[in-house]
């Protein structure tokens, strides 16, 4: 029993020693692989990273040389070789190394030549040809992978009478597993934007035409159907613009002479009838002046009668002229007295004017006091944006809805396109005048709304994208200049 116990202890120690050796070897492989990873990460460019990696591997593993290749479609191209100055001109060497890499990648396995005893069978014709043609002792190729996809390979060559032991193969495999994804990421980042865009587009096409991604296919079909509909269906095209209602004519009531406001009887917003009194100017001074003229005239008439009685013909003629002058002045005073009453010239709506706060205030001759517009004749003034003025023609019709009467569409017809532009709200617009076909009883001058002038029938696609297309044309023309 004691011998059995000693034997069990020996077996346990032997197993533990073996496990310790394996753990130490695995740790060494990990340290070596991460050292190589640090070498790759140090370099910013893919080409320099490959060159640094193969050079470091060649020195650390006693290989001459070490090559790295990258997959191009179905073939492998050598990207870097250690001691490249000695091999750049050897096209046959590069071709043979690429063939060896293809051989390993096609089998998705590590290939070594000459093969070791007990090793799993691998096709190694290209590796044997490589060692034979270039007088090397052994060749080893380890594929590089990224996301389960073969991206390239590492090929190691040793001089004559040198072989690859199993530990070295494990070490190279560990390095390939660690640096493969990093090198692939660097290669993809070094590509041009055009290449990246093409690849992204090709990926989307494959997802669209391949299996899965049902939601994307449904969205694409819906977008195609909508685009086809917009390219065939037509719709009325209309130019939208702000609009304001104005009277067909607008009469201005001004002060007939300089004076003072005696009283007011109407103000802006009220409806007035023809000859309705709007305001009264102070006539006290005019009445005094008329009384003086009447007295003067009566006096002159008395003097005229006396001159006639005395037979003074010349004197009577002078007095007669003075009487006529007094009559003319009286007529002027009477006309001024009549004009002190400011009345409405027709039935209409007072657009502006309020003297309620100006009673007793002075007014100057010609000063505007009221603006009156008729109630049965209106015109529409459209503020058409300069980008749409080309589509507006005389005779076109449209509809207008004012803010005060949004449920009552008003039909109008374009009558005049003026060349007067107006700047406001960050845009440049032109004034277009139109006549209303009819007007509701509640319509008043000054009301504002939105107008839509019918132009023609156009494709739905163009109707909804015209503004964007015009903006792109202008922007491209500006950049091209």
């Amino acid at each position: 029993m004691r011998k059995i116990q000693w034997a069990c202890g020996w077996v346990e120690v032997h197993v533990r020693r073996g496990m310790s050796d394996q753990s130490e070897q695995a740790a060494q492989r990990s340290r070596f692989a991460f050292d190589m990873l640090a070498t790759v990460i140090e370099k910013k460019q893919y080409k320099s990273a490959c060159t640094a990696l193969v050079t470091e591997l060649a020195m650390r593993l006693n290989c001459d040389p070490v090559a790295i290749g990258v997959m191009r479609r179905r073939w492998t191209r050598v990207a870097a070789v250690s001691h490249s100055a000695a091999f750049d001109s050897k096209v046959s060497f590069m071709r043979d190394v690429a063939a060896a890499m293809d051989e390993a990648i096609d089998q998705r396995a590590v290939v070594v030549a000459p093969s070791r005893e007990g090793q799993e069978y691998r096709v190694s014709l290209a590796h044997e040809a490589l060692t034979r043609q270039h007088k090397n002792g052994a060749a080893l190729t380890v594929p590089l992978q990224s996301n389960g996809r073969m991206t390239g390979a590492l090929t190691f060559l040793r001089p004559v009478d040198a072989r690859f032991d199993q530990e070295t193969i494990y070490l190279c495999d560990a390095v390939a597993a660690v640096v493969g994804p990093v090198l692939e990421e660097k290669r993809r980042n070094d590509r041009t934007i055009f290449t990246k865009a093409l690849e992204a587009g090709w990926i989307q096409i494959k997802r669209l035409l391949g299996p899965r991604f049902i939601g994307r296919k449904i969205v694409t079909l819906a977008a195609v159907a909508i685009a086809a509909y917009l390219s065939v269906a037509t719709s009325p095209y209309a130019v939208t613009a702000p609009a304001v209602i104005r009277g067909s004519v607008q009469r201005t009531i001004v002060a007939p002479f300089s004076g003072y406001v005696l009283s007011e009887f109407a103000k802006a917003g009220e409806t007035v009838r023809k000859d309705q009194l709007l305001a009264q100017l102070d006539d006290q001074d005019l009445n005094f002046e008329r009384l003086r003229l009447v007295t003067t005239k009566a006096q002159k008439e008395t003097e005229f009668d006396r001159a006639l009685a005395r037979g003074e013909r010349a004197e009577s003629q002078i007095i007669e002229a003075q009487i006529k002058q007094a009559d003319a002045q009286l007529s002027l005073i009477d006309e001024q007295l009549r004009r002190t009453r400011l009345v409405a010239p027709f039935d209409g709506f007072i657009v502006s004017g309020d003297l309620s706060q100006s009673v007793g205030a002075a007014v100057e001759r010609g000063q505007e006091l009221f603006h009156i517009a008729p109630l049965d004749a209106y015109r529409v003034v459209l503020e058409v944006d300069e980008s749409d003025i080309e589509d507006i023609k005389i005779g076109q019709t449209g509809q207008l809805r004012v803010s005060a009467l949004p449920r009552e569409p008003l039909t109008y017809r374009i009558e005049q396109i003026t060349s007067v532009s107006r700047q406001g709200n960050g845009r440049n617009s032109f004034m277009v005048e139109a006549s209303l076909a009819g007007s509701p009883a509640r319509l008043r001058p000054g009301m504002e709304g939105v107008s839509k002038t019918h132009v023609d029938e156009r494709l739905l696609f163009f109707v909804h994208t015209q503004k964007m297309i015009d903006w792109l044309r202008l922007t491209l023309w500006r950049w091209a200049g």
Side-chain angles (χ1 to χ4, degrees), residues 352-374:
S352 64
D354 186 1
L355 300 180
S356 60
Q357 304 298 321
S358 303
V359 175
V363 293
E364 297 294 331
R365 181 178 181 180
Q367 180 179 339
E368 296 181 357
L369 303 180
F370 297 97
H371 290 89
I372 302 178

mmCIF file of all heavy atoms in Angstrom, residues 352-374:
data_model
loop_
_atom_site.group_PDB
_atom_site.id
_atom_site.type_symbol
_atom_site.label_atom_id
_atom_site.label_comp_id
_atom_site.label_asym_id
_atom_site.label_seq_id
_atom_site.Cartn_x
_atom_site.Cartn_y
_atom_site.Cartn_z
ATOM 1 N N SER A 352 -58.667 104.014 -43.332
ATOM 2 C CA SER A 352 -57.808 104.628 -42.317
ATOM 3 C C SER A 352 -58.318 106.035 -42.044
ATOM 4 O O SER A 352 -58.965 106.658 -42.891
ATOM 5 C CB SER A 352 -56.344 104.662 -42.784
ATOM 6 O OG SER A 352 -56.207 105.482 -43.923
ATOM 7 N N GLY A 353 -57.998 106.520 -40.854
ATOM 8 C CA GLY A 353 -58.399 107.870 -40.466
ATOM 9 C C GLY A 353 -59.176 107.859 -39.162
ATOM 10 O O GLY A 353 -60.212 107.193 -39.064
ATOM 11 N N ASP A 354 -58.679 108.541 -38.162
ATOM 12 C CA ASP A 354 -59.348 108.628 -36.860
ATOM 13 C C ASP A 354 -59.007 109.980 -36.245
ATOM 14 O O ASP A 354 -57.855 110.225 -35.854
ATOM 15 C CB ASP A 354 -58.878 107.481 -35.957
ATOM 16 C CG ASP A 354 -59.651 107.444 -34.638
ATOM 17 O OD1 ASP A 354 -60.545 108.301 -34.453
ATOM 18 O OD2 ASP A 354 -59.353 106.561 -33.816
ATOM 19 N N LEU A 355 -60.009 110.855 -36.182
ATOM 20 C CA LEU A 355 -59.817 112.202 -35.628
ATOM 21 C C LEU A 355 -60.378 112.328 -34.221
ATOM 22 O O LEU A 355 -60.489 113.437 -33.700
ATOM 23 C CB LEU A 355 -60.473 113.241 -36.541
ATOM 24 C CG LEU A 355 -59.953 113.304 -37.980
ATOM 25 C CD1 LEU A 355 -60.700 114.374 -38.773
ATOM 26 C CD2 LEU A 355 -58.457 113.587 -37.999
ATOM 27 N N SER A 356 -60.736 111.213 -33.600
ATOM 28 C CA SER A 356 -61.347 111.291 -32.268
ATOM 29 C C SER A 356 -60.375 111.857 -31.232
ATOM 30 O O SER A 356 -60.797 112.447 -30.241
ATOM 31 C CB SER A 356 -61.820 109.900 -31.835
ATOM 32 O OG SER A 356 -60.715 108.998 -31.797
ATOM 33 N N GLN A 357 -59.088 111.680 -31.486
ATOM 34 C CA GLN A 357 -58.096 112.213 -30.559
ATOM 35 C C GLN A 357 -57.486 113.511 -31.066
ATOM 36 O O GLN A 357 -56.491 113.989 -30.495
ATOM 37 C CB GLN A 357 -56.975 111.174 -30.356
ATOM 38 C CG GLN A 357 -57.444 109.820 -29.888
ATOM 39 C CD GLN A 357 -58.117 109.883 -28.534
ATOM 40 O OE1 GLN A 357 -57.668 110.616 -27.656
ATOM 41 N NE2 GLN A 357 -59.196 109.138 -28.360
ATOM 42 N N SER A 358 -58.061 114.065 -32.132
ATOM 43 C CA SER A 358 -57.495 115.280 -32.733
ATOM 44 C C SER A 358 -58.478 116.439 -32.759
ATOM 45 O O SER A 358 -58.265 117.412 -33.496
ATOM 46 C CB SER A 358 -57.020 114.972 -34.172
ATOM 47 O OG SER A 358 -56.084 113.928 -34.178
ATOM 48 N N VAL A 359 -59.588 116.349 -32.024
ATOM 49 C CA VAL A 359 -60.556 117.447 -31.990
ATOM 50 C C VAL A 359 -59.891 118.669 -31.355
ATOM 51 O O VAL A 359 -59.318 118.596 -30.260
ATOM 52 C CB VAL A 359 -61.816 117.039 -31.201
ATOM 53 C CG1 VAL A 359 -62.767 118.218 -31.061
ATOM 54 C CG2 VAL A 359 -62.506 115.874 -31.894
ATOM 55 N N GLY A 360 -59.946 119.789 -32.062
ATOM 56 C CA GLY A 360 -59.296 121.015 -31.604
ATOM 57 C C GLY A 360 -57.878 121.154 -32.093
ATOM 58 O O GLY A 360 -57.266 122.212 -31.907
ATOM 59 N N ALA A 361 -57.324 120.099 -32.712
ATOM 60 C CA ALA A 361 -55.952 120.169 -33.207
ATOM 61 C C ALA A 361 -55.919 120.851 -34.560
ATOM 62 O O ALA A 361 -56.906 120.863 -35.307
ATOM 63 C CB ALA A 361 -55.368 118.761 -33.313
ATOM 64 N N ALA A 362 -54.783 121.406 -34.893
ATOM 65 C CA ALA A 362 -54.616 122.097 -36.167
ATOM 66 C C ALA A 362 -54.315 121.096 -37.272
ATOM 67 O O ALA A 362 -53.652 120.079 -37.053
ATOM 68 C CB ALA A 362 -53.496 123.119 -36.060
ATOM 69 N N VAL A 363 -54.810 121.381 -38.451
ATOM 70 C CA VAL A 363 -54.516 120.583 -39.643
ATOM 71 C C VAL A 363 -54.018 121.523 -40.724
ATOM 72 O O VAL A 363 -54.423 122.693 -40.782
ATOM 73 C CB VAL A 363 -55.761 119.800 -40.121
ATOM 74 C CG1 VAL A 363 -56.154 118.742 -39.124
ATOM 75 C CG2 VAL A 363 -56.938 120.736 -40.377
ATOM 76 N N GLU A 364 -53.137 121.001 -41.556
ATOM 77 C CA GLU A 364 -52.585 121.789 -42.640
ATOM 78 C C GLU A 364 -53.309 121.474 -43.938
ATOM 79 O O GLU A 364 -53.878 120.389 -44.107
ATOM 80 C CB GLU A 364 -51.089 121.498 -42.793
ATOM 81 C CG GLU A 364 -50.247 121.869 -41.583
ATOM 82 C CD GLU A 364 -50.223 123.368 -41.336
ATOM 83 O OE1 GLU A 364 -50.351 124.137 -42.319
ATOM 84 O OE2 GLU A 364 -50.064 123.769 -40.172
ATOM 85 N N ARG A 365 -53.301 122.422 -44.823
ATOM 86 C CA ARG A 365 -53.954 122.236 -46.118
ATOM 87 C C ARG A 365 -53.297 121.060 -46.854
ATOM 88 O O ARG A 365 -52.085 120.970 -46.966
ATOM 89 C CB ARG A 365 -53.829 123.505 -46.946
ATOM 90 C CG ARG A 365 -54.508 123.415 -48.304
ATOM 91 C CD ARG A 365 -54.396 124.720 -49.046
ATOM 92 N NE ARG A 365 -55.057 124.639 -50.333
ATOM 93 C CZ ARG A 365 -55.122 125.637 -51.219
ATOM 94 N NH1 ARG A 365 -54.528 126.813 -50.919
ATOM 95 N NH2 ARG A 365 -55.743 125.483 -52.356
ATOM 96 N N GLY A 366 -54.101 120.139 -47.346
ATOM 97 C CA GLY A 366 -53.613 118.960 -48.061
ATOM 98 C C GLY A 366 -53.293 117.780 -47.166
ATOM 99 O O GLY A 366 -52.922 116.711 -47.673
ATOM 100 N N GLN A 367 -53.455 117.935 -45.855
ATOM 101 C CA GLN A 367 -53.167 116.825 -44.947
ATOM 102 C C GLN A 367 -54.209 115.731 -45.107
ATOM 103 O O GLN A 367 -55.408 115.992 -45.142
ATOM 104 C CB GLN A 367 -53.134 117.339 -43.505
ATOM 105 C CG GLN A 367 -52.842 116.254 -42.475
ATOM 106 C CD GLN A 367 -52.789 116.802 -41.071
ATOM 107 O OE1 GLN A 367 -52.591 118.006 -40.865
ATOM 108 N NE2 GLN A 367 -52.987 115.938 -40.093
ATOM 109 N N GLU A 368 -53.761 114.454 -45.219
ATOM 110 C CA GLU A 368 -54.679 113.326 -45.411
ATOM 111 C C GLU A 368 -55.384 113.008 -44.104
ATOM 112 O O GLU A 368 -54.741 112.777 -43.071
ATOM 113 C CB GLU A 368 -53.911 112.097 -45.903
ATOM 114 C CG GLU A 368 -53.279 112.284 -47.269
ATOM 115 C CD GLU A 368 -52.550 111.044 -47.746
ATOM 116 O OE1 GLU A 368 -52.501 110.062 -46.970
ATOM 117 O OE2 GLU A 368 -52.032 111.042 -48.875
ATOM 118 N N LEU A 369 -56.715 112.994 -44.155
ATOM 119 C CA LEU A 369 -57.513 112.751 -42.952
ATOM 120 C C LEU A 369 -58.206 111.396 -42.993
ATOM 121 O O LEU A 369 -58.282 110.705 -41.976
ATOM 122 C CB LEU A 369 -58.554 113.861 -42.788
ATOM 123 C CG LEU A 369 -57.995 115.287 -42.712
ATOM 124 C CD1 LEU A 369 -59.128 116.294 -42.554
ATOM 125 C CD2 LEU A 369 -56.996 115.421 -41.575
ATOM 126 N N PHE A 370 -58.739 110.992 -44.166
ATOM 127 C CA PHE A 370 -59.442 109.712 -44.296
ATOM 128 C C PHE A 370 -59.065 109.069 -45.622
ATOM 129 O O PHE A 370 -58.765 109.768 -46.603
ATOM 130 C CB PHE A 370 -60.969 109.899 -44.246
ATOM 131 C CG PHE A 370 -61.487 110.441 -42.954
ATOM 132 C CD1 PHE A 370 -61.737 111.797 -42.807
ATOM 133 C CD2 PHE A 370 -61.723 109.612 -41.876
ATOM 134 C CE1 PHE A 370 -62.220 112.315 -41.624
ATOM 135 C CE2 PHE A 370 -62.204 110.112 -40.685
ATOM 136 C CZ PHE A 370 -62.445 111.461 -40.562
ATOM 137 N N HIS A 371 -59.112 107.693 -45.625
ATOM 138 C CA HIS A 371 -59.014 106.916 -46.862
ATOM 139 C C HIS A 371 -60.256 106.040 -46.936
ATOM 140 O O HIS A 371 -60.517 105.259 -46.012
ATOM 141 C CB HIS A 371 -57.762 106.045 -46.885
ATOM 142 C CG HIS A 371 -56.482 106.818 -47.019
ATOM 143 N ND1 HIS A 371 -55.790 107.293 -45.948
ATOM 144 C CD2 HIS A 371 -55.785 107.214 -48.124
ATOM 145 C CE1 HIS A 371 -54.712 107.923 -46.351
ATOM 146 N NE2 HIS A 371 -54.687 107.905 -47.680
ATOM 147 N N ILE A 372 -61.000 106.163 -48.028
ATOM 148 C CA ILE A 372 -62.265 105.444 -48.176
ATOM 149 C C ILE A 372 -62.195 104.569 -49.416
ATOM 150 O O ILE A 372 -61.769 105.018 -50.488
ATOM 151 C CB ILE A 372 -63.448 106.435 -48.276
ATOM 152 C CG1 ILE A 372 -63.482 107.323 -47.030
ATOM 153 C CG2 ILE A 372 -64.758 105.680 -48.431
ATOM 154 C CD1 ILE A 372 -64.575 108.359 -47.070
ATOM 155 N N ALA A 373 -62.631 103.298 -49.255
ATOM 156 C CA ALA A 373 -62.680 102.355 -50.370
ATOM 157 C C ALA A 373 -64.128 101.899 -50.560
ATOM 158 O O ALA A 373 -64.875 101.772 -49.582
ATOM 159 C CB ALA A 373 -61.793 101.151 -50.090
ATOM 160 N N PRO A 374 -64.542 101.655 -51.785
ATOM 161 C CA PRO A 374 -65.926 101.213 -52.034
ATOM 162 C C PRO A 374 -66.165 99.809 -51.491
ATOM 163 O O PRO A 374 -65.237 99.003 -51.336
ATOM 164 C CB PRO A 374 -66.031 101.255 -53.549
ATOM 165 C CG PRO A 374 -64.643 101.108 -54.040
ATOM 166 C CD PRO A 374 -63.765 101.786 -53.025
#
